[in-house]
């Protein structure tokens, strides 16, 4: 009996440890499933884990990037193609195929355009250069458009960041944690700032899953990639690291972002007189010259004709 009790205790400890390990693995899979469902809604099975097929589709974009493009541009490609009903697993192939089609189409257009001019027909080298140039333009143009769209989206998200920070200050002062405050302001901003809301949802998912909050905030700064947002992220990281009051730090950062926005508006307003000089010289000044000097020119013409 004295030997049976230690064996039973050891067996109980082993079974309890295995149960804890299995429970931890299951909770980790469920947490990852919730995170990915927040980022990209995917089918989830009865146990709460991501379906095997959906997981393969999701990781396809990570393992096979779009020719080394940054994450922000890859997400913009998937977002734009999703509007046309292209599934995420086909986004990479569809995008590259579209680039090939556009390059081939512009190359053919350059060939037929060069064939219409006699001086190009006599010089086949010029025709070849024209075809290659048009094909290169067709290959690069989609990437340029995607980068412009991603940059415009980032600027739109950064423009609504001061409002989000002020709402977050109210939530933090009311006793909510940072993650819960972000979840709350997402509900308030989903109609007025949809671009910023999507980035905040990703940040909230990262804060709940990742062990280090600095990494989650750094991911937000990399996605938006503007100096103002990077300044906010640096301030929040230092605040969370050293334990300073979060609400006070966010209030200071929100005031700084408001001031920076006002400075940018003043700078754009001060550039308006210089920018208005060009259209005034091109469109207004010739009209004034015609009105003022037109009658005199007509009289001089009548005088010399007589």
């Amino acid at each position: 009996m004295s030997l049976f009790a230690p064996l039973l205790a050891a067996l109980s400890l082993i079974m309890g440890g295995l149960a804890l390990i299995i429970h931890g693995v299951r909770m980790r899979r469920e947490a990852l499933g919730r995170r990915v469902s927040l980022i990209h809604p995917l089918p989830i099975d009865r146990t709460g884990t991501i379906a095997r097929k959906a997981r393969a589709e999701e990781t396809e974009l990570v393992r096979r990037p779009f020719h080394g493009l940054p994450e922000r541009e890859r997400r913009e490609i998937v977002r734009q193609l999703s509007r046309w009903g292209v599934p995420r697993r086909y986004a990479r192939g569809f995008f590259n195929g579209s680039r090939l089609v556009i390059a081939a189409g512009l190359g053919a257009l350059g060939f037929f355009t060069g064939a219409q001019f006699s001086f190009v027909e006599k010089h086949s080298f010029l025709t070849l250069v024209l075809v290659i140039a048009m094909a290169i333009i067709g290959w690069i143009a989609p990437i340029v458009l995607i980068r412009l769209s991603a940059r415009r989206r980032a600027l739109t998200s950064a423009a609504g960041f001061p409002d989000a920070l002020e709402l977050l200050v109210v939530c933090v002062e009311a006793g909510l944690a940072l993650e819960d405050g972000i979840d709350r302001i997402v509900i308030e901003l989903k109609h007025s700032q949809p671009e910023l809301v999507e980035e905040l949802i990703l940040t909230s998912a990262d804060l709940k899953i990742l062990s280090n909050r600095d990494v989650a905030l750094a991911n937000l700064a990399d996605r938006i990639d503007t100096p103002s947002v990077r300044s906010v992220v640096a301030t929040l990281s230092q605040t969370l690291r050293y334990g300073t009051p979060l609400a006070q730090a966010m209030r200071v950062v929100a005031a700084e972002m408001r001031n920076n926005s006002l400075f940018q508006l003043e700078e754009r307003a001060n550039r308006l007189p210089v920018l208005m000089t060009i259209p005034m010289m091109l469109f207004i000044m010739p009209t004034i010259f015609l009105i003022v000097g037109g009658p005199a020119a007509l009289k001089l013409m009548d005088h010399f004709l007589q």
Side-chain angles (χ1 to χ4, degrees):
M1 186 67 182
S2 61
L3 183 61
F4 179 73
L7 291 177
L8 183 61
L11 183 60
S12 300
L13 290 175
I14 293 173
M15 295 298 293
L18 291 175
L20 288 176
I21 292 174
I22 294 173
H23 180 70
V25 172
R26 182 178 179 182
M27 292 298 295
R28 184 174 181 273
R29 289 181 178 177
E30 291 180 357
L32 290 175
R34 288 193 298 269
R35 180 191 175 193
V36 178
S37 64
L38 285 173
I39 299 174
H40 298 302
L42 295 175
I44 300 178
D45 56 14
R46 294 181 180 178
T47 61
T49 57
I50 304 173
R52 185 178 301 174
K53 181 178 179 181
R55 188 187 304 174
E57 294 173 3
E58 179 65 25
T59 56
E60 184 71 16
L61 297 178
V62 179
R63 285 189 269 125
R64 300 176 63 190
F66 294 93
H67 299 287
L69 294 178
E71 180 185 359
R72 183 178 65 178
E73 296 178 5
R74 296 200 301 267
R75 291 175 57 241
E76 186 66 23
I77 291 172
V78 175
R79 186 183 299 110
Q80 294 294 335
L81 293 180
S82 298
R83 296 179 179 178
W84 296 91
V86 179
R88 298 181 187 277
R89 62 181 180 274
Y90 299 136
R92 180 177 183 271
F94 188 87
F95 181 73
N96 291 332
S98 301
R99 294 177 68 188
L100 288 174
V101 170
I102 294 173
L106 289 182
L109 179 62
F111 176 78
F112 289 114
T113 302
Q116 299 298 322
F117 299 95
S118 59
F119 70 92
V120 179
E121 292 178 355
K122 298 177 182 179
H123 300 82
S124 59
F125 178 74
L126 295 179
T127 305
L128 180 61
V129 170
L130 181 61
V131 170
I132 293 175
M134 295 292 287
I136 292 174
I137 292 173
W139 179 257
I140 298 176
I143 294 293
V144 174
L145 294 177
I146 288 296
R147 288 178 179 174
L148 292 176
S149 179
R151 184 61 180 173
R152 183 171 61 252
R153 183 181 180 84
L155 294 177
T156 303
S157 301
F161 220 80
D163 297 333
L165 282 179
E166 291 176 354
L167 291 175
L168 192 58
V169 168
V170 176
C171 294
V172 172
E173 289 181 343
L176 295 178
L178 180 61
E179 299 87 347
D180 297 332
I182 292 176
D183 293 337
R184 185 66 182 88
I185 66 174
V186 160
I187 301 175
E188 302 295 333
L189 297 175
K190 64 180 180 180
H191 297 295
S192 59
Q193 299 289 339
E195 294 85 1
L196 179 59
V197 163
E198 183 177 348
E199 303 299 336
L200 292 178
I201 289 174
L202 297 177
T203 304
S204 177
D206 287 340
L207 289 172
K208 293 175 182 177
I209 300 302
L210 297 178
S211 59
N212 191 353
R213 291 183 172 183
D214 294 340
V215 177
L217 295 175
N219 291 336
L220 174 64
D222 292 336
R223 288 194 302 268
I224 299 181
D225 195 17
T226 57
S228 59
V229 175
R230 290 192 177 276
S231 175
V232 171
V233 167
T235 303
L236 290 178
S237 298
Q238 293 177 1
T239 301
L240 295 173
R241 185 180 306 166
Y242 299 112
T244 56
L246 183 60
Q248 182 179 359
M250 287 191 297
R251 185 180 290 108
V252 172
V253 171
E256 290 180 356
M257 292 189 71
R258 292 288 186 188
N259 292 332
N260 291 334
S261 300
L262 290 177
F263 291 152
Q264 291 178 0
L265 290 176
E266 291 178 357
E267 181 181 357
R268 293 173 62 183
N270 292 331
R271 287 189 302 175
L272 281 178
V274 179
L275 296 177
M276 288 297 294
T277 303
I278 297 175
M280 184 178 65
M281 295 180 63
L282 292 178
F283 302 105
I284 299 177
M285 294 300 292
T287 306
I288 294 176
F289 290 152
L290 288 176
I291 294 174
V292 174
L298 291 174
K299 289 182 178 179
L300 288 175
M301 291 174 61
D302 293 338
H303 177 73
F304 285 113
L305 288 176
Q306 291 179 357

